[in-house]
Amino acid sequence: DAKTTQPNSMESNEEEPVHLPCNHSTISGTDYIHWYRQLPSQGPEYVIHGLTSNVNNRMASLAIAEDRKSSTLILHRATLRDAAVYYCILSPTVNSGNTPLVFGKGTRLSVIA
Amino acid sequence: DGGITQSPKYLFRKEGQNVTLSCEQNLNHDAMYWYRQDPGQGLRLIYYSQIVNDFQKGDIAEGYSVSREKKESFPLTVTSAQKNPTAFYLCASSTDFSYEQYFGPGTRLTVT
């Protein structure tokens, strides 16, 4: 299974941009890159996903390196409500009996007021 | 409102008792999952099911059992064989493995 590597923790000031990195050097050509986040005492929630091109949605942006061996989740203006654990996960584009998403330990983002 | 419900939110049991955690979804999703989370750790997959009447073991299935008799429901039984059952249990569903997973609010199980 292709694995991801993320920093254990990061800190950001409120209202500043946050760049959360993820390395996935063994990614295959058909793996999607997913990001989820987990607020304290809640289940994870989907943030964004992409394959090759950069993606934007109302929550965040996903920047994918040209070689796809790394990606960065960008929160444009961090708020206190963005304090959470962020998970970077790979999944195949085609369901061919592969195992489902594997959640690592993620990056714990702290936001300072 | 579509979503996933887990009940109860908090559950307390004595050691040696089996306990069943409920998970129901009305999203018409085929795939459902159970994860366990210990303090400060990521999620670990217990069991998953792609279709009704079929399920597969995840990474830590020992001491747990599941059933999938209906598309909407995927209950998890924590048996007395599970050595460290105290944990936060999360249920999720998705259209299939490649699609976005929706998570329930979780059940915090404490066994003493």
Side-chain angles (χ1 to χ4, degrees), chain B residues 16-89:
Chain B
Q17 292 178 334
N18 290 355
V19 58
T20 297
L21 310 184
S22 164
C23 177
E24 304 278 329
Q25 55 98 358
N26 60 4
L27 299 166
N28 199 34
H29 285 166
D30 288 315
M32 296 188 74
Y33 318 82
W34 274 105
Y35 294 90
R36 168 186 172 133
Q37 187 172 37
D38 294 289
Q41 303 297 311
L43 280 66
R44 290 186 292 168
L45 183 64
I46 305 173
Y47 268 98
Y48 60 100
S49 168
Q50 289 181 265
I51 56 172
V52 173
N53 291 324
D54 184 56
F55 47 83
Q56 308 294 329
K57 291 182 180 180
D59 300 320
I60 54 163
E62 186 175 345
Y64 299 97
S65 66
V66 293
S67 63
R68 186 87 187 275
E69 296 175 2
K70 299 187 300 182
K71 188 174 185 176
E72 305 79 26
S73 179
F74 191 41
L76 173 75
T77 297
V78 184
T79 75
S80 55
Q82 167 51 233
K83 290 184 172 55
N84 297 297
T86 294
F88 188 43
Y89 290 89

Side-chain angles (χ1 to χ4, degrees), chain A residues 32 34 36 38 41-46 49 87 91-95 97-105 108, chain B residues 9 33 35 37 40-45 48 50 59 88 90 96-106 108:
Chain A
Y32 276 112
H34 292 251
Y36 283 74
Q38 186 176 20
S41 298
Q42 295 186 28
E45 63 175 344
Y46 167 83
H49 78 281
Y87 298 98
S91 79
T93 54
V94 177
N95 177 11
N98 290 327
T99 54
L101 300 182
V102 176
F103 287 77
K105 291 188 180 180
R108 182 173 298 277
Chain B
K9 193 174 173 75
Y33 318 82
Y35 294 90
Q37 187 172 37
Q41 303 297 311
L43 280 66
R44 290 186 292 168
L45 183 64
Y48 60 100
Q50 289 181 265
D59 300 320
F88 188 43
L90 288 156
D96 72 19
F97 291 165
S98 304
Y99 288 84
E100 175 185 347
Q101 282 192 13
Y102 291 80
F103 283 82
R108 198 168 295 278

Side-chain angles (χ1 to χ4, degrees), chain A residues 18-50:
Chain A
V18 182
H19 290 231
L20 296 162
C22 181
N23 288 320
H24 29 78
S25 57
T26 59
I27 190 170
S28 78
T30 55
D31 283 339
Y32 276 112
I33 301 159
H34 292 251
W35 283 84
Y36 283 74
R37 73 177 185 181
Q38 186 176 20
L39 301 169
S41 298
Q42 295 186 28
E45 63 175 344
Y46 167 83
V47 177
I48 200 167
H49 78 281

